[in-house]
Amino acid sequence: MSFRINTNIASLQSQEYLRNTSEVQSKTIGRVTSGLRILSSGDDAAGLSIANSFRSDQAVLQQGIRNANDGLSTLQTIDGGINNISKLLDRARTLATQSASGTFIGSRSVLNSEFGSVITEIDRQAQAIGLNAGGEFARALSVFIGGGKSSGGITSIQNGASQVDLSNSTVDAKSLGLKGAQAQGITTTDIGTGSPSTSVSAIVNDPANTASQNASGFTEFFFRGPGFGDAKRIKVAVNLSGVTNVDNLVTAINNAIASSGTVVSPEATAFHNANISASVVTSPDGRKSLAFSSSNTAFQVEAGDRLANALLGNVISSSNPTGRALVNTVTGGSNTAAAATTFGASGAGVVQVRLQGAGLATPVDISVNVAAATTVDQALASLATAISGNGNLQAAGITLTAATPGAPLVFTSARGERFEVASSGDLNNILGLGSFRGSGGAAGTFDYSTVTGSGGSFAASAETLEFSIGGGPTVSVSVTPAAATIADATIALNAQFAANATLAAAGLVATNDGTDISITSSTGSKFRIATIGAGNVFGFNAATATGVADTAETQAGNTDVNAFNAGGVQQSSIIPFTGIRNGGDDQTITVSANDTGGGEHSVAVILRNDSGLRNAGTVDEAISAINTALKQSNDPTIQAIAAVKDKASPSGPEGIRFISTLRGFKIAVGTNASGTGLGDQGTVVSSDAAGNGSTADISTQAGAEAAVNALANAVTKLGDAQAVVGRGQNQFSFAVNLASSQLTNIAAAESRIRDADLAEEAANLTKAQILLQAGISALAQANSAPQQVLSLLKG
């Protein structure tokens, strides 16, 4: 046994034990006083991390429950508003039913006044609860509650949100079908019995009107809208048998509309779904005019003959029931050959006549086979037969109305629409439409992107060539080779191409293979070529053919506007249009709109006229291309927009207008080098509200009967909207229940990790106190032990 004074091992050990005991006692006291097991991260780092995560989840769920309860309160407010609108509909139905009675002897104007007030109040209350079109809550509402998990591509944020979509649950008068788009005829013309000169009876019995009918006893209206535009417009042929006044006229038109919507085709289905109906609108001064209405679709209505034009109020005068003429004519640039003139050996082959415009989505080429001995009389007869037998031309109302040898050809659009006529293959200009070359003067090709001559003399003498780029105006150039060689002839052609802005823009380039010259468009532009005179310097004239300078066809006819756009919708301004001629002049048009939830939708349309695709040579082709792209987008928002042909003034050029029942849309117009295609290039054209639409009316018995039906549908639509709101209330209630359950269980899980077991901690505290007392006593004894060594030094 050894004794030391300098180092008291027992004391040091006692101090260490005492320190440990003191720390245990301190932590135990902290746990007992705080109620927490984990006082610092050192106590249980992993447990603290988990507990903090649980605490954060609880904070999210607590706020999420408040969010859901707020959403539930909002839906309850909306539900109460819809209940009140339901009562307003009940009152409106009562008034409409009363006015619809044939035995009613009171004032329908008084009933209609209150009826109008009820409709106005429906709009006000729908706006107050945020469920009018474009209203605060007319969108997909997403309430974040929390507690979601990620799975199957769905994030925890997405799973933690409860959604109710009210974008299709608007309850304003327009959404309920009590207001809508309406195209109304000219209101200054009275087609009612108050004006015998222009009454329905006078109009349908007017000889000039009946003579314009495509089918005896029927008058025609044409409708354009989303899914049934341009060449796929819907023709409504109205049977006029028994029509003597405005009431049975409306009945006849609505019967025809119903029949047109039953045809099995995509455009007929779209027309049927538009729910367009005819009615008579009475102005404050008592004039009656024809109107067409739709609760859900923007549209355009067009008269198909003079009788329909008159019914739309477009009469010659207030005392003359004859509708204004719709005829538009195109007359050949020069006379046809004299009777019995033959085409000759140089003219034998295929003569093609191209017609485009007047609602044609693509050009129509009429081919006439001619032999050397074929006379102009025979060719004209064949041409007339082919045109009359072409279904597309018949649908467009285009006919050959004058085909007499020695006189110009006259083509007519029965609906007054503008169109173009061109020809190729008639190298001697027998038909008076120009001597543009066909495929070597023989068969098939109307125009080219590359053409090779044959048998050229390449003499050092001037020759005049004519070109038409993409169906455009004729460009004439006189070319003289510097020397009588194919190389000099090629150089001379290219010099003229470069010097002419139109031909240079078309990318025309001449090349040769040592024998023949070829002309090609580097941009893919389509062109026609003619040689003027009997020469064949460059090889583009058949032997003995005598080409003549092309004289432009003339267009003349009615300038009255016979198409009416629906009011109460959104529409763009009329965007001017000129045909795209050059292959390098592609133009991109971007149509964009927001859905009811604010999401942006768009589609881009490329307009071009080259060897790959020709969809913009005329305004009709461009409209067809645009509407096809809108339809094929398979986007319901974009599909609600349609492009229609329109003009700003009776004598103005035809342009493109966009229409829709959406709250708004935009058209971004791209640029191209030549500035052709849609005008306003480099700008964004925004839509604006267009006029007034239709409103249910009970001022007449017929109107009241229609209102009764409309209100019955409105009750159904309101019920559908309220069902969505009710579903949302239940959905939010269930979401609150789940979140409350999650909150309770997560709190319990956190408590098991974070909270202290006080029974256990009390025992630990008692143990620590005893150990501390014992340790202090032992430390005192250890500290006194060295003093005992002094007893060894006493002597």
Coordinates of all heavy atoms in Angstrom, one line a residue, residues 2-85:
S2 N 0.6 2.2 -0.9 CA 1.4 3.4 -1.0 C 0.5 4.6 -0.6 O -0.7 4.6 -0.8 CB 1.9 3.6 -2.4 OG 0.8 3.7 -3.3
F3 N 1.2 5.6 -0.1 CA 0.5 6.9 0.3 C 1.1 8.1 -0.4 O 2.3 8.2 -0.5 CB 0.6 7.1 1.8 CG 0.0 6.0 2.7 CD1 0.7 4.9 3.0 CD2 -1.4 6.1 3.0 CE1 0.1 3.9 3.8 CE2 -1.9 5.1 3.7 CZ -1.2 4.0 4.1
R4 N 0.2 8.9 -1.1 CA 0.7 10.0 -1.8 C -0.1 11.3 -1.3 O -1.2 11.3 -1.0 CB 0.4 9.9 -3.3 CG 1.1 8.7 -3.9 CD 0.7 8.6 -5.4 NE 1.4 7.4 -6.1 CZ 0.9 6.2 -6.0 NH1 -0.2 5.9 -5.4 NH2 1.6 5.2 -6.6
I5 N 0.7 12.4 -1.4 CA 0.1 13.7 -1.0 C -0.2 14.5 -2.2 O -1.3 15.2 -2.3 CB 1.1 14.5 0.0 CG1 1.3 13.7 1.2 CG2 0.5 15.9 0.2 CD1 2.3 14.3 2.2
N6 N 0.7 14.5 -3.2 CA 0.5 15.4 -4.4 C -0.7 15.0 -5.2 O -1.4 15.9 -5.8 CB 1.8 15.3 -5.3 CG 2.9 16.0 -4.6 OD1 2.8 16.9 -3.8 ND2 4.1 15.6 -5.0
T7 N -1.0 13.7 -5.4 CA -2.2 13.3 -6.2 C -3.1 12.5 -5.4 O -2.8 11.4 -4.9 CB -1.7 12.5 -7.4 OG1 -0.7 13.2 -8.2 CG2 -2.9 12.1 -8.3
N8 N -4.4 13.1 -5.3 CA -5.4 12.4 -4.5 C -6.3 11.7 -5.5 O -7.3 12.3 -6.0 CB -6.2 13.4 -3.7 CG -7.1 12.7 -2.7 OD1 -7.5 11.6 -2.9 ND2 -7.5 13.4 -1.7
I9 N -6.0 10.4 -5.9 CA -6.7 9.7 -6.9 C -8.2 9.5 -6.5 O -9.1 9.7 -7.3 CB -6.1 8.3 -7.1 CG1 -4.6 8.5 -7.6 CG2 -6.9 7.5 -8.1 CD1 -4.5 9.3 -8.8
A10 N -8.4 9.2 -5.2 CA -9.8 9.0 -4.8 C -10.7 10.2 -4.9 O -11.8 10.2 -5.3 CB -9.8 8.6 -3.3
S11 N -10.0 11.4 -4.7 CA -10.8 12.7 -4.8 C -11.1 12.9 -6.3 O -12.2 13.3 -6.6 CB -9.9 13.8 -4.3 OG -10.6 15.0 -4.5
L12 N -10.1 12.7 -7.1 CA -10.4 12.9 -8.5 C -11.5 12.0 -9.0 O -12.4 12.4 -9.8 CB -9.1 12.7 -9.4 CG -8.0 13.7 -9.1 CD1 -6.7 13.2 -9.9 CD2 -8.4 15.1 -9.5
Q13 N -11.5 10.7 -8.6 CA -12.5 9.8 -9.1 C -13.9 10.3 -8.5 O -14.9 10.2 -9.2 CB -12.2 8.4 -8.6 CG -11.1 7.8 -9.4 CD -10.7 6.4 -8.8 OE1 -11.0 6.1 -7.6 NE2 -10.1 5.6 -9.7
S14 N -13.9 10.7 -7.3 CA -15.2 11.2 -6.7 C -15.7 12.4 -7.4 O -16.9 12.5 -7.6 CB -14.9 11.5 -5.2 OG -14.5 10.3 -4.5
Q15 N -14.8 13.3 -7.8 CA -15.2 14.5 -8.5 C -15.9 14.1 -9.8 O -16.9 14.7 -10.2 CB -14.0 15.4 -8.7 CG -13.5 16.1 -7.5 CD -12.3 16.9 -7.8 OE1 -12.3 17.7 -8.7 NE2 -11.2 16.8 -7.0
E16 N -15.2 13.2 -10.6 CA -15.8 12.8 -11.8 C -17.2 12.2 -11.7 O -18.1 12.5 -12.5 CB -14.8 11.8 -12.5 CG -15.3 11.2 -13.9 CD -15.5 12.3 -14.9 OE1 -14.9 13.4 -14.8 OE2 -16.2 12.1 -15.9
Y17 N -17.3 11.3 -10.8 CA -18.6 10.7 -10.5 C -19.7 11.7 -10.1 O -20.8 11.7 -10.6 CB -18.5 9.6 -9.5 CG -17.8 8.4 -10.0 CD1 -16.8 7.7 -9.1 CD2 -18.1 7.8 -11.2 CE1 -16.1 6.6 -9.6 CE2 -17.4 6.7 -11.6 CZ -16.4 6.1 -10.8 OH -15.7 5.0 -11.2
L18 N -19.2 12.6 -9.3 CA -20.1 13.7 -8.8 C -20.6 14.6 -10.0 O -21.7 15.0 -10.1 CB -19.4 14.5 -7.7 CG -20.3 15.5 -7.0 CD1 -21.5 14.8 -6.3 CD2 -19.5 16.3 -6.0
R19 N -19.6 14.9 -10.9 CA -19.9 15.7 -12.1 C -21.0 15.0 -13.0 O -22.0 15.6 -13.4 CB -18.7 16.0 -12.9 CG -18.9 16.9 -14.1 CD -17.6 17.0 -14.9 NE -17.2 15.8 -15.5 CZ -17.8 15.2 -16.6 NH1 -18.8 15.9 -17.2 NH2 -17.4 14.1 -17.0
N20 N -20.8 13.7 -13.2 CA -21.7 13.0 -14.0 C -23.1 13.0 -13.4 O -24.1 13.1 -14.0 CB -21.2 11.5 -14.2 CG -20.0 11.5 -15.2 OD1 -19.8 12.4 -15.9 ND2 -19.2 10.5 -15.0
T21 N -23.1 12.7 -12.1 CA -24.4 12.7 -11.4 C -25.1 14.1 -11.4 O -26.3 14.1 -11.6 CB -24.1 12.3 -9.9 OG1 -23.5 11.0 -9.9 CG2 -25.5 12.2 -9.1
S22 N -24.3 15.1 -11.3 CA -24.8 16.5 -11.3 C -25.4 16.8 -12.7 O -26.5 17.4 -12.8 CB -23.7 17.5 -11.0 OG -24.2 18.8 -11.1
E23 N -24.8 16.3 -13.8 CA -25.3 16.5 -15.1 C -26.6 15.7 -15.3 O -27.6 16.3 -15.9 CB -24.3 16.1 -16.2 CG -23.1 17.0 -16.3 CD -22.1 16.5 -17.4 OE1 -22.4 15.5 -18.0 OE2 -21.1 17.2 -17.7
V24 N -26.6 14.5 -14.8 CA -27.8 13.7 -15.0 C -29.0 14.4 -14.2 O -30.1 14.5 -14.7 CB -27.6 12.3 -14.4 CG1 -28.9 11.5 -14.3 CG2 -26.7 11.5 -15.3
Q25 N -28.6 14.9 -13.0 CA -29.7 15.6 -12.2 C -30.2 16.8 -12.9 O -31.4 17.1 -13.0 CB -29.1 16.0 -10.8 CG -30.2 16.6 -9.9 CD -29.6 17.1 -8.6 OE1 -28.5 17.7 -8.7 NE2 -30.3 16.9 -7.5
S26 N -29.2 17.6 -13.6 CA -29.6 18.8 -14.3 C -30.5 18.5 -15.4 O -31.6 19.2 -15.6 CB -28.4 19.5 -14.7 OG -28.7 20.7 -15.5
K27 N -30.2 17.5 -16.3 CA -31.0 17.1 -17.4 C -32.4 16.6 -16.9 O -33.4 16.9 -17.5 CB -30.3 16.1 -18.2 CG -29.2 16.6 -19.1 CD -28.7 15.5 -20.0 CE -27.5 16.0 -20.8 NZ -27.0 14.9 -21.7
T28 N -32.4 15.9 -15.9 CA -33.6 15.3 -15.3 C -34.5 16.4 -14.8 O -35.8 16.4 -15.1 CB -33.4 14.3 -14.2 OG1 -32.5 13.3 -14.7 CG2 -34.7 13.7 -13.8
I29 N -33.9 17.4 -14.1 CA -34.7 18.5 -13.7 C -35.3 19.3 -14.9 O -36.5 19.7 -14.9 CB -33.9 19.5 -12.8 CG1 -33.6 18.7 -11.5 CG2 -34.6 20.8 -12.5 CD1 -32.6 19.5 -10.6
G30 N -34.5 19.5 -16.0 CA -34.9 20.2 -17.2 C -36.1 19.4 -17.8 O -37.1 20.0 -18.3
R31 N -36.0 18.1 -17.9 CA -37.1 17.3 -18.5 C -38.4 17.4 -17.7 O -39.5 17.5 -18.3 CB -36.6 15.9 -18.7 CG -35.6 15.6 -19.7 CD -35.0 14.3 -19.7 NE -34.0 14.1 -20.8 CZ -33.2 13.0 -20.8 NH1 -33.2 12.1 -19.9 NH2 -32.3 12.9 -21.8
V32 N -38.2 17.3 -16.3 CA -39.4 17.4 -15.5 C -40.0 18.7 -15.6 O -41.3 18.8 -15.6 CB -39.0 17.0 -14.0 CG1 -40.1 17.3 -13.1 CG2 -38.5 15.6 -13.9
T33 N -39.2 19.8 -15.6 CA -39.8 21.1 -15.6 C -40.3 21.5 -17.0 O -41.3 22.3 -17.1 CB -38.8 22.2 -15.1 OG1 -37.6 22.1 -16.0 CG2 -38.4 21.9 -13.7
S34 N -39.7 21.0 -18.1 CA -40.2 21.4 -19.4 C -41.2 20.4 -20.0 O -41.9 20.7 -20.9 CB -39.0 21.4 -20.4 OG -38.4 20.2 -20.6
G35 N -41.1 19.2 -19.5 CA -42.0 18.1 -20.0 C -41.5 17.5 -21.3 O -42.1 16.7 -21.9
L36 N -40.2 17.9 -21.7 CA -39.7 17.4 -23.0 C -38.5 16.4 -22.7 O -37.7 16.6 -21.8 CB -39.1 18.6 -23.8 CG -40.2 19.6 -24.2 CD1 -39.5 20.8 -24.9 CD2 -41.2 19.0 -25.1
R37 N -38.5 15.4 -23.5 CA -37.4 14.4 -23.4 C -36.1 14.9 -24.0 O -35.0 14.7 -23.6 CB -37.8 13.1 -24.0 CG -36.7 12.0 -23.9 CD -37.2 10.7 -24.5 NE -37.3 10.8 -26.0 CZ -36.2 10.6 -26.8 NH1 -35.1 10.3 -26.3 NH2 -36.4 10.7 -28.1
I38 N -36.3 15.7 -25.2 CA -35.2 16.2 -25.9 C -35.1 17.7 -25.7 O -35.9 18.5 -26.1 CB -35.3 15.9 -27.4 CG1 -35.5 14.4 -27.7 CG2 -34.2 16.4 -28.2 CD1 -35.8 14.1 -29.1
L39 N -34.0 18.1 -24.9 CA -33.8 19.5 -24.6 C -32.8 20.1 -25.6 O -32.8 21.3 -25.8 CB -33.3 19.6 -23.2 CG -34.3 19.1 -22.1 CD1 -33.6 19.2 -20.7 CD2 -35.6 19.9 -22.1
S40 N -31.9 19.3 -26.2 CA -31.0 19.8 -27.1 C -30.7 18.7 -28.1 O -31.1 17.5 -27.9 CB -29.7 20.2 -26.4 OG -29.0 19.1 -25.9
S41 N -30.1 19.1 -29.2 CA -29.9 18.1 -30.3 C -29.0 17.0 -29.8 O -29.0 15.8 -30.3 CB -29.3 18.7 -31.5 OG -28.0 19.4 -31.2
G42 N -28.1 17.2 -28.8 CA -27.3 16.2 -28.3 C -28.0 15.1 -27.5 O -27.5 14.0 -27.4
D43 N -29.2 15.4 -27.1 CA -30.0 14.4 -26.4 C -30.4 13.3 -27.3 O -30.4 12.1 -26.9 CB -31.2 15.0 -25.7 CG -30.9 16.0 -24.6 OD1 -29.8 15.9 -24.1 OD2 -31.7 16.9 -24.3
D44 N -30.9 13.6 -28.6 CA -31.3 12.6 -29.5 C -31.4 13.3 -30.9 O -32.5 13.8 -31.3 CB -32.6 12.0 -29.1 CG -33.1 10.9 -30.0 OD1 -32.4 10.6 -31.1 OD2 -34.1 10.3 -29.8
A45 N -30.3 13.4 -31.6 CA -30.2 14.1 -32.8 C -31.2 13.6 -33.9 O -32.0 14.3 -34.5 CB -28.8 14.1 -33.4
A46 N -31.2 12.3 -34.0 CA -32.1 11.7 -35.0 C -33.6 11.9 -34.6 O -34.4 12.2 -35.5 CB -31.8 10.2 -35.2
G47 N -33.9 11.7 -33.4 CA -35.2 11.9 -32.9 C -35.7 13.3 -33.0 O -36.8 13.5 -33.4
L48 N -34.8 14.2 -32.8 CA -35.1 15.7 -32.9 C -35.5 16.0 -34.3 O -36.4 16.7 -34.6 CB -34.0 16.5 -32.4 CG -34.2 18.0 -32.4 CD1 -35.4 18.4 -31.5 CD2 -33.0 18.8 -32.0
S49 N -34.7 15.5 -35.3 CA -35.0 15.7 -36.7 C -36.4 15.2 -37.1 O -37.1 15.9 -37.8 CB -33.9 15.1 -37.5 OG -34.2 15.2 -38.9
I50 N -36.7 14.0 -36.7 CA -38.0 13.5 -37.0 C -39.1 14.3 -36.3 O -40.1 14.6 -36.9 CB -38.1 12.0 -36.5 CG1 -37.1 11.2 -37.3 CG2 -39.5 11.4 -36.7 CD1 -36.9 9.7 -36.9
A51 N -38.9 14.6 -35.0 CA -39.9 15.4 -34.3 C -40.2 16.8 -34.9 O -41.3 17.2 -35.0 CB -39.5 15.6 -32.9
N52 N -39.1 17.4 -35.4 CA -39.2 18.7 -36.0 C -40.0 18.6 -37.3 O -40.8 19.5 -37.7 CB -37.9 19.3 -36.3 CG -37.2 19.9 -35.0 OD1 -37.9 20.1 -34.0 ND2 -35.9 20.1 -35.0
S53 N -39.7 17.5 -38.1 CA -40.5 17.3 -39.3 C -42.0 17.1 -39.0 O -42.8 17.7 -39.7 CB -40.0 16.0 -40.0 OG -40.7 15.7 -41.2
F54 N -42.3 16.3 -38.0 CA -43.7 16.2 -37.6 C -44.3 17.5 -37.2 O -45.5 17.8 -37.5 CB -43.8 15.2 -36.4 CG -43.6 13.7 -36.8 CD1 -43.2 12.8 -35.9 CD2 -43.8 13.3 -38.1 CE1 -43.0 11.5 -36.3 CE2 -43.6 12.0 -38.5 CZ -43.3 11.1 -37.6
R55 N -43.5 18.3 -36.5 CA -44.1 19.6 -36.0 C -44.4 20.5 -37.2 O -45.4 21.2 -37.3 CB -43.1 20.3 -35.1 CG -43.6 21.6 -34.5 CD -42.6 22.2 -33.5 NE -41.4 22.5 -34.1 CZ -40.3 22.8 -33.4 NH1 -40.3 22.9 -32.1 NH2 -39.1 23.1 -34.1
S56 N -43.5 20.5 -38.2 CA -43.7 21.3 -39.4 C -44.9 20.8 -40.2 O -45.7 21.6 -40.7 CB -42.5 21.2 -40.3 OG -42.6 22.0 -41.5
D57 N -45.1 19.5 -40.3 CA -46.3 18.9 -40.9 C -47.6 19.4 -40.2 O -48.6 19.7 -40.8 CB -46.2 17.4 -41.0 CG -45.2 16.9 -41.9 OD1 -44.7 17.7 -42.8 OD2 -44.8 15.7 -41.8
Q58 N -47.5 19.5 -38.9 CA -48.7 19.9 -38.1 C -49.0 21.4 -38.4 O -50.2 21.7 -38.6 CB -48.4 19.8 -36.6 CG -48.3 18.3 -36.1 CD -48.0 18.3 -34.7 OE1 -48.8 18.6 -33.8 NE2 -46.8 17.8 -34.4
A59 N -48.0 22.2 -38.6 CA -48.2 23.6 -38.9 C -48.9 23.7 -40.3 O -49.8 24.5 -40.4 CB -46.9 24.4 -38.9
V60 N -48.4 22.9 -41.2 CA -49.1 22.9 -42.6 C -50.5 22.5 -42.5 O -51.4 23.1 -43.1 CB -48.3 22.1 -43.5 CG1 -49.0 21.9 -44.9 CG2 -46.9 22.7 -43.8
L61 N -50.8 21.4 -41.8 CA -52.1 20.8 -41.7 C -53.1 21.8 -41.0 O -54.2 21.9 -41.3 CB -52.1 19.5 -41.0 CG -51.5 18.3 -41.9 CD1 -51.3 17.1 -41.0 CD2 -52.5 18.0 -43.0
Q62 N -52.5 22.5 -39.9 CA -53.4 23.4 -39.2 C -53.9 24.5 -40.1 O -55.0 24.9 -40.1 CB -52.6 24.0 -38.0 CG -52.5 22.9 -36.8 CD -51.5 23.4 -35.8 OE1 -50.8 24.4 -36.0 NE2 -51.5 22.7 -34.6
Q63 N -52.9 25.1 -40.9 CA -53.3 26.1 -41.8 C -54.1 25.6 -43.0 O -55.1 26.2 -43.4 CB -52.0 26.8 -42.4 CG -52.3 28.0 -43.3 CD -53.2 29.1 -42.7 OE1 -52.8 29.6 -41.6 NE2 -54.3 29.5 -43.3
G64 N -53.8 24.4 -43.4 CA -54.6 23.7 -44.5 C -56.0 23.5 -44.1 O -56.9 23.7 -44.9
I65 N -56.3 23.2 -42.8 CA -57.6 23.0 -42.3 C -58.4 24.3 -42.4 O -59.5 24.4 -42.8 CB -57.7 22.4 -40.9 CG1 -57.2 20.9 -41.0 CG2 -59.0 22.5 -40.3 CD1 -57.0 20.3 -39.7
R66 N -57.6 25.4 -42.0 CA -58.2 26.7 -42.1 C -58.6 27.1 -43.5 O -59.6 27.7 -43.8 CB -57.3 27.8 -41.4 CG -57.3 27.7 -39.9 CD -56.6 28.9 -39.3 NE -55.2 29.0 -39.6 CZ -54.2 28.4 -38.8 NH1 -54.6 27.8 -37.7 NH2 -53.0 28.5 -39.1
N67 N -57.6 26.8 -44.4 CA -57.8 27.0 -45.8 C -59.1 26.3 -46.3 O -59.9 26.9 -47.1 CB -56.7 26.5 -46.7 CG -55.4 27.4 -46.5 OD1 -55.5 28.4 -45.9 ND2 -54.3 26.9 -47.0
A68 N -59.2 25.0 -46.0 CA -60.4 24.3 -46.5 C -61.7 24.8 -45.9 O -62.7 24.9 -46.6 CB -60.2 22.8 -46.1
N69 N -61.6 25.2 -44.6 CA -62.8 25.8 -44.0 C -63.2 27.1 -44.7 O -64.4 27.4 -44.9 CB -62.6 26.0 -42.5 CG -62.7 24.7 -41.7 OD1 -63.5 23.8 -42.1 ND2 -61.9 24.5 -40.7
D70 N -62.2 27.9 -45.0 CA -62.4 29.1 -45.8 C -63.1 28.8 -47.1 O -64.0 29.5 -47.6 CB -61.1 29.9 -46.0 CG -60.6 30.5 -44.7 OD1 -61.4 30.6 -43.7 OD2 -59.4 30.9 -44.7
G71 N -62.5 27.8 -47.8 CA -63.1 27.4 -49.1 C -64.5 26.9 -49.0 O -65.4 27.2 -49.8
L72 N -64.7 26.1 -47.9 CA -66.1 25.6 -47.6 C -67.1 26.8 -47.4 O -68.2 26.8 -47.9 CB -66.0 24.7 -46.4 CG -67.3 24.0 -46.1 CD1 -67.7 23.1 -47.2 CD2 -67.1 23.1 -44.8
S73 N -66.6 27.8 -46.7 CA -67.5 29.0 -46.5 C -67.8 29.7 -47.8 O -68.9 30.1 -48.0 CB -66.8 29.9 -45.5 OG -66.6 29.3 -44.2
T74 N -66.8 29.8 -48.6 CA -67.0 30.4 -49.9 C -68.0 29.7 -50.8 O -68.9 30.3 -51.4 CB -65.6 30.5 -50.7 OG1 -64.7 31.3 -50.0 CG2 -65.8 31.1 -52.1
L75 N -67.8 28.3 -50.8 CA -68.8 27.5 -51.6 C -70.2 27.6 -51.0 O -71.2 27.6 -51.7 CB -68.3 26.1 -51.6 CG -67.0 25.8 -52.5 CD1 -66.7 24.3 -52.5 CD2 -67.2 26.3 -53.9
Q76 N -70.3 27.7 -49.7 CA -71.6 27.8 -49.1 C -72.3 29.2 -49.4 O -73.5 29.2 -49.7 CB -71.5 27.7 -47.5 CG -71.2 26.3 -47.1 CD -70.8 26.2 -45.6 OE1 -70.5 27.2 -45.0 NE2 -70.8 25.0 -45.0
T77 N -71.4 30.2 -49.5 CA -72.0 31.5 -50.0 C -72.4 31.4 -51.4 O -73.5 31.9 -51.8 CB -70.9 32.6 -49.9 OG1 -70.4 32.7 -48.5 CG2 -71.4 33.9 -50.3
I78 N -71.6 30.8 -52.3 CA -72.0 30.6 -53.7 C -73.3 29.8 -53.8 O -74.2 30.1 -54.6 CB -70.9 29.9 -54.5 CG1 -69.7 30.9 -54.6 CG2 -71.3 29.5 -55.8 CD1 -68.4 30.2 -55.2
D79 N -73.4 28.7 -53.0 CA -74.6 27.9 -53.0 C -75.8 28.7 -52.6 O -76.9 28.5 -53.3 CB -74.4 26.7 -52.0 CG -75.4 25.6 -52.1 OD1 -75.9 25.4 -53.3 OD2 -75.7 25.0 -51.1
G80 N -75.7 29.5 -51.6 CA -76.8 30.4 -51.3 C -77.2 31.3 -52.4 O -78.4 31.5 -52.6
G81 N -76.2 31.9 -53.1 CA -76.5 32.7 -54.2 C -77.2 32.0 -55.3 O -78.1 32.5 -56.0
I82 N -76.8 30.7 -55.6 CA -77.4 29.9 -56.7 C -78.9 29.6 -56.3 O -79.8 29.6 -57.1 CB -76.6 28.7 -56.9 CG1 -75.3 29.0 -57.5 CG2 -77.4 27.7 -57.8 CD1 -74.4 27.8 -57.8
N83 N -79.1 29.4 -55.0 CA -80.5 29.1 -54.5 C -81.4 30.4 -54.9 O -82.5 30.2 -55.3 CB -80.5 28.9 -53.0 CG -80.0 27.5 -52.7 OD1 -80.2 26.6 -53.5 ND2 -79.5 27.3 -51.5
N84 N -80.8 31.5 -54.7 CA -81.6 32.7 -55.0 C -81.8 32.9 -56.5 O -82.9 33.3 -56.9 CB -80.8 34.0 -54.4 CG -81.8 35.1 -54.0 OD1 -82.8 34.8 -53.3 ND2 -81.5 36.3 -54.4
I85 N -80.8 32.6 -57.3 CA -80.9 32.7 -58.7 C -82.0 31.7 -59.2 O -82.7 31.9 -60.1 CB -79.6 32.4 -59.4 CG1 -78.6 33.6 -59.2 CG2 -79.7 32.2 -60.9 CD1 -77.2 33.4 -59.7

